[in-house]
Amino acid sequence: MGSRKRNFRFRNVLALCTIVLLCSQPVYGADYQAGQSLVAKDQAKASRGFHFPGLEITWLDFGDDYIRHYSTMPGQFAEGIFTLPIGRGIAPGKVDSWDVTFDVTGTILTEGDYDEIHRFSDGMALVVKYLPRENESARHGPPPESQAGYIDQTGKEIIPLGKIDGLFAEFHEGLAAFGDYEQKRGYIDKAGKVVIPQIYLNAGDFSEGLAPVQSLDTKLWGYIDREGAMVIPMEYDGAEPFHDGVAFVAKNGLAGYIDKTGKTVIDFQFKADETAGEGRSFSGGLAVASDDTGRYGYIDKSGSFVIPAKYRQADPFQGDLAFVSSENPTYLNGYGSSYLINRKGERITPLWSYGFFSGETMEDGLFRVLYPYGTNSNQSFAVINSYGAEIIPASLGIKYISPFNEGAALILCSDKEGKMAVGLVKKPEDIDGKKGGRLIQVYLDGKQLDFADTDPVIENSSTLVPMRAVFESLGAEVSWDAKNQAVTGTKDGTRVSLKIGDSKGYVNGKAVELPVPAKIQNARTLVPLRFVAESLNAEVTWDDAARTVSISTK
């Protein structure tokens, strides 16, 4: 907790490496100077033949140099700035390397002889330069010594390399924590002045005017203001930065929330999960919480579960979406089902359809996913909106695209010869205009039906749904005849029967021709929704654009 670094976990069995090395993959382009445009004059040549219909891509020019590596993980870029590590062969076995930062127009902001340029935050970015090893031939052993500093968005070293020891954190609200693991921690301002001395065991980011800090003596946490004054006493076993006016804190194995005066606003009643970290902070009025069963849901600021605690795992909301997983008895491997939900708790993506990165954020109203789920070598990125619709479809076959960053995303494509094309993708217009995703959603009197273990499917223009869920939601008693593979639902004197594979259904014994017969899929019986609902006196409508079925019993 506190200033612990976020643990990014890949929500896929594993499809892409976190860091992809490309040391033999040259890109197309020229030399680099601050203010220069990286936009290639010959867009066709720079694209290396890649074309993605529907996307507006500006291809960049990196000469015969290559991208040393890049990360598929979220959180790499921010504030409209991208960074790429560039390499150039200068002699056999020798490479010259540096980092280049550029904006959403492809204009170079800085190029520097840095081994690391971290993402920008509060207008500043941490930069790191490794010092030469005593034995340069040593490939193994501890990492090299390094010096760190900060640059601004023009590339100027505001805090020079090596001026201050122990730099590691991002700036927030004009201050950054500093101090190595073996040092006490304090805070510096953007001029490099120590404004809060190194007197803490640990120190978190400033947010909403306060920062969590940990006592050297008691190991307990409290909060200080920007002048270093202790505002909330050190009495907590764990503490996170303030969000939405409240902060997650832990005491005696339980967790609750306090306001900026230290007053408890949500009682200490939740499990203090040490792995939760910043995942318990409020975001847009909702926060992840677990009940006494160990299941996760989402609470509002009254401490009430507004999305029930029914998930085995839940991530904080990122914009309008949150990643969750739940039990699924049809999967014997124990993994359950993974999907995205909206702030109403409605599922918007199919079960086990997409892979996700833990820590993925919804940027510019868009969310990256990987399709299909699993270790498929043909897996590709897709970008979805808040409805679960693919704004950038997986069918385009994009192997790497960054999260959107103030209107643009970075795309990297490697051809069969290992040559790299690098471009900036403009955010598509009217991203909320498309509402139909891969999931077929079913609503009964305005409330989404939660098919927890098997998704609806469409066959012959008919929607099939899990039989027990639809019969019971309509108030019918349901029975299953395993010997004859037949299902029967009864309500208010109406008896509806179907048999697996039979092209006829029966209503009070009278045969009705079905557009598609009932079937078994994933050990679940699926039945034609319209036939069942209308036979029980409900109205059914289909919204093709939203891929949504609406059932009305009123």
Side-chain angles (χ1 to χ4, degrees):
M1 298 176 68
S3 63
R4 185 179 65 231
K5 291 183 178 179
R6 174 174 282 182
N7 179 25
F8 291 117
R9 292 164 292 161
F10 189 27
R11 302 295 193 198
N12 206 334
V13 176
L14 195 60
L16 295 175
C17 296
T18 299
I19 300 295
V20 182
L21 299 179
L22 299 168
C23 294
S24 62
Q25 300 188 358
V27 293
Y28 168 82
D31 286 332
Y32 320 100
Q33 294 179 359
Q36 169 196 339
S37 174
L38 286 169
V39 175
K41 294 180 180 179
D42 187 339
Q43 286 285 297
K45 181 178 180 181
S47 73
R48 295 196 181 276
F50 288 100
H51 175 63
F52 302 102
L55 297 186
E56 183 178 337
I57 302 176
T58 301
W59 297 102
L60 305 182
D61 180 341
F62 286 88
D64 294 325
D65 300 331
Y66 58 86
I67 310 300
R68 302 199 316 271
H69 58 79
Y70 64 90
S71 173
T72 59
M73 298 300 280
Q76 302 300 308
F77 311 121
E79 300 187 356
I81 298 174
F82 300 90
T83 301
L84 283 176
I86 306 299
R88 176 180 298 169
I90 56 176
K94 292 186 178 181
V95 173
D96 198 3
S97 61
W98 59 95
D99 284 21
V100 174
T101 63
F102 50 95
D103 64 17
V104 296
T105 70
T107 301
I108 294 176
L109 302 176
T110 179
E111 59 85 20
D113 186 18
Y114 302 117
D115 293 290
E116 299 176 22
I117 299 181
H118 293 224
R119 73 171 187 172
F120 278 84
S121 174
D122 206 8
M124 304 276 278
L126 180 72
V127 292
V128 179
K129 178 66 178 176
Y130 300 143
L131 300 178
R133 297 177 184 268
E134 291 184 6
N135 182 3
E136 284 298 329
S137 64
R139 296 285 183 179
H140 304 287
E145 296 292 324
S146 63
Q147 293 180 333
Y150 289 91
I151 61 173
D152 65 14
Q153 293 185 356
T154 70
K156 180 181 179 182
E157 276 190 20
I158 303 300
I159 300 177
L161 289 170
K163 178 182 177 181
I164 301 173
D165 289 334
L167 300 182
F168 70 93
E170 292 180 347
F171 271 90
H172 293 273
E173 300 185 358
L175 300 178
F178 77 107
D180 272 333
Y181 293 108
E182 298 179 354
Q183 296 177 329
K184 301 173 185 178
R185 291 191 172 175
Y187 293 86
I188 59 172
D189 63 17
K190 291 185 178 180
K193 178 182 177 182
V194 176
V195 293
I196 298 175
Q198 291 176 271
I199 58 175
Y200 302 110
L201 178 63
N202 215 332
D205 294 330
F206 270 90
S207 177
E208 301 183 7
L210 299 177
V213 291
Q214 187 179 25
S215 168
L216 284 165
D217 299 324
T218 67
K219 308 298 189 292
L220 296 178
W221 290 79
Y223 290 84
I224 60 173
D225 63 18
R226 289 171 49 82
E227 284 69 47
M230 186 64 61
V231 175
I232 300 174
M234 293 175 164
E235 58 184 66
Y236 303 106
D237 299 322
E240 293 299 327
F242 274 85
H243 293 281
D244 286 4
V246 296
F248 171 86
V249 290
K251 183 190 292 187
N252 301 325
L254 293 175
Y257 292 82
I258 59 174
D259 64 17
K260 293 181 184 178
T261 69
K263 178 183 176 182
T264 300
V265 293
I266 299 178
D267 289 336
F268 289 79
Q269 57 183 302
F270 305 107
K271 181 181 176 182
D273 187 348
E274 271 296 317
T275 65
E278 294 180 4
R280 294 298 188 92
S281 295
F282 271 87
S283 173
L286 297 178
V288 177
S290 58
D291 65 6
D292 53 8
T293 70
R295 298 295 177 184
Y296 294 93
Y298 296 85
I299 59 172
D300 61 16
K301 289 187 181 178
S302 73
S304 301
F305 279 98
V306 292
I307 298 177
K310 61 181 180 179
Y311 305 110
R312 59 187 292 172
Q313 181 177 326
D315 279 1
F317 272 92
Q318 303 290 350
D320 295 328
L321 304 179
F323 170 89
V324 297
S325 65
S326 60
E327 299 288 353
N328 189 332
T330 66
Y331 290 95
L332 301 180
N333 56 18
Y335 288 116
S337 298
S338 305
Y339 45 90
L340 285 167
I341 61 172
N342 62 22
R343 288 181 172 270
K344 296 179 182 179
E346 298 171 336
R347 182 156 62 92
I348 67 161
T349 58
L351 305 172
W352 287 124
S353 179
Y354 294 115
F356 305 91
F357 292 102
S358 181
E360 185 75 29
T361 57
M362 192 172 194
E363 302 290 346
D364 287 359
L366 296 169
F367 196 97
R368 290 189 313 169
V369 294
L370 288 156
Y371 182 84
Y373 182 89
T375 56
N376 193 317
S377 61
N378 293 322
Q379 193 175 47
S380 299
F381 275 94
V383 179
I384 64 175
N385 65 10
S386 60
Y387 298 103
E390 292 187 5
I391 302 304
I392 297 180
S395 60
L396 292 179
I398 296 173
K399 300 304 180 184
Y400 174 80
I401 186 170
S402 75
F404 275 85
N405 176 16
E406 296 194 8
L410 191 67
I411 186 171
L412 292 93
C413 310
S414 181
D415 65 18
K416 294 180 180 179
E417 297 178 356
K419 297 178 180 179
M420 181 68 61
V422 182
L424 289 168
V425 182
K426 182 180 177 181
K427 176 184 172 181
E429 297 180 358
D430 191 23
I431 61 171
D432 291 326
K434 185 177 180 181
K435 297 185 178 181
R438 293 182 183 270
L439 176 66
I440 301 164
Q441 300 186 67
V442 180
Y443 287 83
L444 175 62
D445 295 330
K447 183 178 180 180
Q448 186 188 50
L449 295 185
D450 184 10
F451 302 110
D453 53 30
T454 302
D455 286 326
V457 298
I458 293 179
E459 291 186 7
N460 194 26
S461 300
S462 294
T463 302
L464 290 92
V465 297
M467 62 99 173
R468 186 169 298 277
V470 68
F471 273 117
E472 291 181 348
S473 67
L474 289 166
E477 294 184 3
V478 60
S479 61
W480 169 249
D481 182 345
K483 181 179 179 180
N484 295 307
Q485 290 199 308
V487 58
T488 300
T490 306
K491 177 185 179 183
D492 298 335
T494 300
R495 180 182 175 89
V496 181
S497 301
L498 303 99
K499 187 175 181 180
I500 300 300
D502 193 338
S503 62
K504 290 183 174 62
Y506 297 86
V507 181
N508 293 332
K510 182 178 180 180
V512 178
E513 195 72 27
L514 300 175
V516 60
K519 61 182 289 187
I520 293 178
Q521 178 173 299
N522 294 334
R524 289 291 181 265
T525 300
L526 302 183
V527 297
L529 173 60
R530 183 178 293 275
F531 166 72
V532 171
E534 291 182 346
S535 296
L536 294 174
N537 299 315
E539 295 182 0
V540 179
T541 58
W542 166 253
D543 184 338
D544 188 60
R547 289 172 61 82
T548 297
V549 180
S550 296
I551 307 170
S552 176
T553 62
K554 299 176 182 179

